[in-house]
Amino acid sequence: MIPHPPATKGADLKRPPASVWLISLQDLDADSLAIQLGEVALMELLPGQSTFVGDPLRMALAGLAEDSRFPYVIEADGYAVGVLTLQSGAAGLAGWPDQNSAWLLRGFLIDRRHQGQGLGPLAAASAVETAAKLTARLGTAETGVVLSVNEGNPAGRSAYRRAGFEDRGQYLGGSSGPQRIMYRVFGA
């Protein structure tokens, strides 16, 4: 297992990664999956973030257990730095008016040691590109990606805006308070 490097900020930051890779957990052999899940199990949240996201390993395992979910490890510079899941047929969970015209981006988090480096917007934009490829491969009809982000999470809302997501209004169905519906169309 590759240990997490210490995250650096400000003047100590060598350079922000120019890109991230989304590694599909469903496409890995058993040994590679075990390594990636081991990395996910080591991910940490900042205090208070558990209100907005759940346990990283639990989210990855839930994604592997359900056919409509496609879980990914976010990798940057050779390290697992986060997780996310794309789900089909579940857009209504983010307050979207129907279930099938958009992929739901859920369970998205960047490990606390890698936050503040611009990885969130890179990974969210990569998720949209990946969802467009899934739509083409599966022959489904989604036209973009939707998510809900808690109104009390300004850093999350800002990261999604930088990734090209647009605010589409308030959603009151979230379990942790009012949410903002955010959407990005494919190709935007």
Side-chain angles (χ1 to χ4, degrees):
M1 206 171 327
I2 301 172
H4 286 274
T8 57
K9 292 196 179 250
D12 297 330
L13 185 63
K14 293 180 277 184
R15 63 172 177 76
S19 63
V20 296
W21 296 95
L22 298 187
I23 300 171
S24 171
L25 292 178
Q26 292 176 332
D27 295 336
L28 299 177
D29 63 39
D31 291 338
S32 297
L33 179 60
I35 290 168
Q36 290 296 334
L37 290 175
E39 286 295 303
V40 171
L42 296 174
M43 290 181 186
E44 300 174 3
L45 302 174
L46 286 171
Q49 287 183 323
S50 62
T51 301
F52 306 125
V53 296
D55 175 76
L57 181 59
R58 185 171 294 169
M59 289 186 300
L61 293 173
L64 288 168
E66 192 173 326
D67 290 340
S68 68
R69 295 186 191 195
F70 296 81
Y72 295 86
V73 167
I74 304 162
E75 185 178 280
D77 290 338
Y79 295 97
V81 298
V83 294
L84 64 82
T85 296
L86 291 166
Q87 186 171 2
S88 64
L93 294 175
W96 200 242
D98 69 85
Q99 299 291 5
N100 298 310
S101 66
W103 286 90
L104 174 63
L105 176 58
R106 66 184 306 169
F108 179 43
L109 69 90
I110 301 295
D111 179 274
R112 71 162 182 84
R113 294 162 289 196
H114 301 283
Q115 292 180 15
Q117 300 174 24
L119 297 172
L122 288 173
S126 292
V128 175
E129 293 170 13
T130 299
K133 291 175 186 175
L134 281 170
T135 297
R137 186 176 89 201
L138 299 172
T140 55
E142 295 90 358
T143 58
V145 174
V146 67
L147 59 93
S148 65
V149 59
N150 194 284
E151 288 183 354
N153 183 358
R157 291 193 327 267
S158 176
Y160 293 127
R161 279 193 302 275
R162 288 193 315 273
F165 283 79
E166 298 175 351
D167 190 310
R168 294 293 182 94
Q170 189 179 56
Y171 174 57
L172 298 175
S175 62
S176 59
Q179 309 282 312
R180 299 307 301 176
I181 302 165
M182 299 190 80
Y183 176 76
R184 181 171 162 188
V185 68
F186 295 150

